[in-house]
Amino acid sequence: MTQLNVIDNLKSYTIPEIGDYCAKNSIPASVAMINIGGDFNLSTMIRNANFFGFRSVHYVGKKKWDKRGSVGTYHYTPVYHHKNEESFLLQCSGRTIIAIENNIPEYDDKTINLFHYKFLNTLEPIFIFGEENKGLSNMILDRANVILTIPNYGSVRSLNVGTTSGIVMGIYRNFVEQNKTQELTEVGR
């Protein structure tokens, strides 16, 4: 039996078998982090992507990162490094680009509260997060189909990006699962 940090029914699986299991149970959605400053946030995002069954993780910034915080999930959820934003955006062609950002009044015309957004007509969405200090560039924000923000009810200016990614992925996965249930119910009528 393996000592890997996996759910009980996967304890006897090999790493490639766990990867296959994750791929089979993933949804056609990805996440990305731009301007990585700290390894903790990237590790947390990879772990969250695995937990919520997202297809892949992309990151732009330094190539090497401390993998310990991801508890091995990078073995099962594909992680792609991009040298710069331009090469990353080429990979987003044909996908719905959803930026997650706050405190950007110049983009009010396409900024929506995450809790009010309806994820209808999204094509293989890629959710893009920026590191706390730098956020997302105008290049990313200009290319985004929509910018989602999480409302603040306290005194702190923003959330940790690892925490934010978990909230966003959980909400989107819930949306996907509710629509699967609705489709099955409608087919059964």
Side-chain angles (χ1 to χ4, degrees):
M1 189 166 277
T2 184
Q3 294 299 310
L4 299 174
N5 184 9
V6 295
I7 56 178
D8 288 344
N9 64 311
L10 299 179
K11 295 272 186 199
S12 64
Y13 284 35
T14 65
I15 289 175
E17 289 171 331
I18 296 168
D20 291 343
Y21 171 87
C22 290
K24 181 180 145 225
N25 291 294
S26 70
I27 57 175
S30 300
V31 291
M33 183 179 286
I34 310 293
N35 297 323
I36 297 167
D39 295 337
F40 174 77
N41 284 324
L42 179 58
S43 292
T44 301
M45 181 176 287
I46 294 167
R47 187 174 181 170
N48 289 342
N50 175 274
F51 185 87
F52 289 110
F54 275 56
R55 183 168 288 158
S56 62
V57 176
H58 299 259
Y59 70 101
V60 176
K62 64 182 184 176
K63 185 167 184 167
K64 292 187 178 197
W65 55 282
D66 185 345
K67 296 177 168 93
R68 290 177 293 180
S70 67
V71 296
T73 54
Y74 62 91
H75 290 297
Y76 326 123
T77 300
V79 178
Y80 303 100
H81 174 258
H82 303 275
K83 291 180 184 177
N84 53 48
E85 292 180 359
E86 293 84 2
S87 66
F88 165 70
L89 286 169
L90 288 173
Q91 300 297 312
C92 297
S93 180
R95 301 180 75 174
T96 302
I97 298 173
I98 301 175
I100 312 300
E101 189 59 276
N102 65 349
N103 304 313
I104 48 167
E106 62 271 26
Y107 289 92
D108 277 349
D109 61 321
K110 65 179 185 178
T111 300
I112 300 172
N113 180 327
L114 169 67
F115 303 124
H116 299 155
Y117 186 64
K118 306 292 183 219
F119 293 98
L120 304 174
N121 303 314
T122 56
L123 180 62
E124 292 191 32
I126 185 156
F127 296 87
I128 306 174
F129 302 81
E131 187 69 50
E132 285 102 3
N133 292 328
K134 296 180 184 176
L136 294 172
S137 70
N138 287 346
M139 177 188 300
I140 297 290
L141 295 171
D142 289 341
R143 288 281 305 274
N145 298 91
V146 65
I147 300 169
L148 299 181
T149 188
I150 298 175
N152 173 341
Y153 301 102
S155 63
V156 70
R157 185 173 186 273
S158 65
L159 281 173
N160 167 284
V161 71
T163 301
T164 301
S165 75
I167 292 168
V168 171
M169 286 186 249
I171 287 173
Y172 185 70
R173 184 66 193 226
N174 184 59
F175 168 79
V176 169
E177 294 304 315
Q178 285 181 341
N179 282 330
K180 283 182 189 176
T181 302
Q182 184 179 354
E183 288 171 10
L184 290 173
T185 303
E186 289 173 1
V187 169
R189 288 183 183 173

